[in-house]
Amino acid sequence: MFVETEEFARRLEEMGELEQQAAYEAVGRWFAEHADKITHHTHLAPVHTATTVRLDGAEPMITDGPFVEGKEVVSGFAEVEVADLDEALRLARSWPACPVVEIRPAS
Amino acid sequence: MSEEVLARVVREHAGRLTASLVSLLGDFAAAEDLVQDAIETALRRWPAEGVPERPDAWLFTVARRRGLDVLRRESNYRAKLARLARPEPAAADDRLRLVFTCCHPALSRAAQIALTLRVVCGLSTTQIAAAFLVPESTVAQRITRAKRKIGEAGIPYRVPSQEELPDRLGEVLAVIYLLFNEGYLSSTAERAHARDLVDDAEWLAALLVNLMPKEPETAGLLALIRLHRARGAARFDAEGRLVLLADQDRGLWDRQAIEEATRLLTRAARAHRRPGPYQVQAAIVACHAEAAGFADTDWAQILVLYDMLLHLAPSPVTRLHRAVAVRYTQGPEAALAELENLGAPLERHALFHATHASLLRDLGRREQARRADERALELTANPAQQALLEQRLRWD
């Protein structure tokens, strides 16, 4: 899971067009390099498009915004096929974009 | 030409024009920009030139020209705005879709309110800011953010399906009701020049009744608003002080408006037999409005209606109001007992403490009554309520 911080989003915003282009290319290269392990990946739209539905009350409650308002938001995820956590960690270390990556087994 | 007349003409046409442009362009934000621009032009030119014979066609032409200008400059709008090449606006009234989009539950309540006022009623950002006493930049940001979310999160431009309708209509009615409340409670002498939100709320409710004649709650809300307005002249005395219901000069009430609103309510209730919170609240206000004097109030009937309202929409504030009906049917002791469990949820609610104070005073517990009134005074920001409480504390 890729996690963006406010700081990261701001830096990306402030970049010039060429710099942004380079950043996106680095991400593209990362996906290409690890294509044999990546089975699926998704980029999520920015958090201002988020809507949350809470189902733990008497009625479903719909609110504007992400489920936790915070400085860090999940911005996408990739499914990888690896032998163990160490291999996943190696992949995560080479991730060239947002500053936080959370790793979790999936079934 | 008075500003009031201008505002009325704009409100009559703004939503319609936005609706037809959204249909035409398929882009909510772009349509809204063009309409705001056309309205600004109208407000600049109409005072001198007079309102054109067909304001809708005039506004459409201005919006269209503006769109074509933008088109020349911005290539990304090109595909959408090219549809403006067709000269005539769509004829059907699409404002219902517009209302449901503006009041979508994925937008915050504050955004729903600002967007509805601006898009459906044609208010400017400045007018909205003035009505709510918030900085203009706050309103502008709220609207920009909401428009972005509509476009990017994929909020649809349509009337909800039958199964979604009860919830979604609830959102729309809540927005109109809040608008009404905001306007009604803050309608003091000092703000006489601010935009009359009560007027906008009534207009919106009437629009909804026309567009959704099969929904009795829309009629209930409209009747509720009209019943309150019919008694407006008696709410303040000559010095602009708030007058309590018991002390109001009922000769100042608009009897004809009360009768009409009551008829509207009865018709809707009989035709559909689907009671809802707005119909019941309107029925309660009608009970008060029909009484010749405060002593003639049918409190037993009002108590039954409050029980019904609590069943439909339980809330501590409704229980507080019900306690007042208990006061007049079973006495202050019984009413005080009703307040017992409300202290916690309504700790920061001025009306709770004010009601508590009058019950304590009825029972001769003056010192406690004073403290409750003082607490109420701390909690209200409304100048008219403050004046009333101060007066009560002075006389005590």
Side-chain angles (χ1 to χ4, degrees):
Chain A
M1 256 180 304
F2 304 116
V3 182
E4 270 187 16
T5 58
E6 271 180 352
E7 168 68 22
F8 174 81
R10 193 169 48 243
R11 270 209 332 263
L12 195 67
E13 190 108 328
E14 286 163 2
M15 281 181 188
E17 210 167 301
L18 280 176
E19 235 183 317
Q20 252 180 29
Q21 197 71 36
Y24 290 135
E25 273 165 18
V27 171
R29 267 199 310 280
W30 186 87
F31 278 111
E33 272 164 33
H34 305 289
D36 57 328
K37 297 188 191 74
I38 298 166
T39 51
H40 175 77
H41 71 91
T42 299
H43 180 247
L44 298 171
V47 76
H48 70 259
T49 63
T51 303
T52 302
V53 184
R54 281 201 177 272
L55 301 166
D56 50 4
E59 294 286 329
M61 203 171 79
I62 303 170
T63 48
D64 182 17
F67 82 100
V68 229
E69 288 283 358
K71 292 183 189 311
E72 295 171 337
V73 292
V74 177
S75 59
F77 53 88
E79 242 176 66
V80 296
E81 190 71 52
V82 289
D84 50 30
L85 181 59
D86 286 351
E87 198 181 347
L89 284 169
R90 265 198 302 281
L91 271 181
R93 270 194 207 102
S94 65
W95 171 245
C98 61
V100 182
V101 179
E102 178 180 322
I103 302 164
R104 244 194 266 180
S107 57
Chain B
M1 190 179 331
S2 76
E3 260 185 52
E4 208 179 311
V5 173
L6 272 183
R8 211 173 306 141
V9 179
V10 164
R11 189 171 62 187
E12 217 39 70
H13 297 287
R16 228 185 276 269
L17 178 60
T18 313
S20 58
L21 285 178
V22 178
S23 294
L24 191 62
L25 306 176
D27 184 319
F28 186 93
E32 209 276 326
D33 283 343
L34 295 182
V35 175
Q36 273 300 313
D37 199 76
I39 289 172
E40 272 165 34
T41 311
L43 290 178
R44 227 170 27 241
R45 287 177 41 189
W46 290 358
E49 298 169 15
V51 176
E53 206 169 307
R54 282 193 54 201
D56 52 341
W58 192 97
L59 287 167
F60 182 77
T61 306
V62 173
R64 181 166 170 267
R65 267 195 222 125
R66 170 84 184 139
L68 293 169
D69 276 353
V70 177
L71 183 59
R72 270 172 220 122
R73 271 183 278 126
E74 291 181 34
S75 56
N76 57 335
Y77 269 177
R78 199 166 286 264
K80 283 166 186 168
L81 294 181
R83 295 174 200 153
L84 282 172
R86 268 190 283 157
E88 272 298 305
D93 193 339
D94 265 347
R95 282 180 291 181
L96 198 54
R97 293 205 266 174
L98 204 59
V99 170
F100 277 106
T101 302
C102 291
C103 298
H104 195 279
L107 301 171
S108 72
R109 187 70 85 210
Q112 292 175 337
I113 290 173
L115 208 56
T116 304
L117 280 176
R118 171 131 146 171
V119 175
V120 187
C121 300
L123 265 70
S124 69
T125 309
T126 319
Q127 287 172 316
I128 299 170
F132 286 93
L133 299 172
V134 291
E136 208 173 315
S137 58
T138 309
V139 176
Q141 203 178 21
R142 228 172 249 166
I143 290 173
T144 309
R145 200 183 164 275
K147 277 173 22 183
R148 252 177 97 192
K149 175 140 187 190
I150 289 173
E152 293 174 27
I155 291 178
Y157 177 61
R158 63 176 179 82
V159 175
S161 67
Q162 270 309 315
E163 76 224 76
E164 297 166 295
L165 198 60
D167 279 350
R168 294 289 308 277
L169 183 59
E171 293 276 328
V172 175
L173 296 177
V175 164
I176 300 176
Y177 186 64
L178 278 176
L179 211 55
F180 165 71
N181 258 335
E182 176 65 28
Y184 193 67
L185 295 176
S186 61
S187 59
T188 59
E190 289 139 74
R191 292 183 62 190
H193 300 293
R195 171 83 176 205
D196 189 359
L197 290 179
V198 172
D199 211 42
D200 288 304
E202 181 181 339
W203 182 86
L204 278 166
L207 176 70
L208 226 52
V209 170
N210 277 329
L211 297 175
M212 307 188 85
K214 294 204 169 80
E215 293 299 328
E217 279 292 87
T218 60
L221 178 57
L222 181 58
L224 177 63
I225 293 174
R226 289 192 172 156
L227 283 164
H228 276 303
R229 289 198 92 175
R231 303 179 307 164
R235 283 180 69 224
F236 295 97
D237 65 13
E239 278 85 50
R241 282 183 304 237
L242 200 61
V243 183
L244 290 179
L245 180 62
D247 308 320
Q248 283 178 13
D249 175 1
R250 295 181 183 222
L252 295 173
W253 290 2
D254 184 343
R255 285 285 158 202
Q256 199 189 333
I258 290 172
E259 268 167 43
E260 278 169 17
T262 310
R263 258 204 306 279
L264 169 73
L265 177 66
T266 319
R267 251 198 329 265
R270 288 218 183 108
H272 305 286
R273 306 218 165 268
R274 267 187 289 142
Y278 293 106
Q279 292 169 77
V280 176
Q281 282 182 79
I284 292 169
V285 181
C287 263
H288 285 297
E290 281 167 350
F294 187 72
D296 306 307
T297 311
D298 187 352
W299 288 105
Q301 175 67 21
I302 289 174
L303 192 60
V304 169
L305 289 167
Y306 271 120
D307 283 334
M308 204 162 152
L309 184 57
L310 275 177
H311 175 73
L312 290 166
S315 96
V317 174
T318 301
R319 282 171 60 205
L320 173 66
H321 287 296
R322 183 183 174 279
V324 176
V326 170
R327 156 75 181 82
Y328 291 102
T329 46
Q330 295 156 41
E333 200 99 42
L336 200 61
E338 294 286 326
L339 290 198
E340 219 149 82
N341 298 319
L342 297 177
L346 297 178
E347 166 55 30
R348 304 201 51 76
H349 193 80
L351 195 61
F352 168 79
H353 296 282
T355 308
H356 196 194
S358 37
L359 291 175
L360 289 166
R361 201 164 281 119
D362 286 343
L363 292 166
R365 290 154 69 173
R366 289 179 53 189
E367 201 37 52
Q368 282 172 297
R370 253 194 106 73
R371 277 203 301 276
D373 264 338
E374 279 162 3
R375 180 80 182 120
L377 190 57
E378 278 166 32
L379 289 169
T380 181
N382 182 305
Q385 285 179 3
Q386 281 169 347
L388 191 76
L389 287 164
E390 273 162 7
Q391 190 183 45
R392 200 150 86 173
L393 281 165
R394 261 202 312 278
W395 284 355
D396 193 42

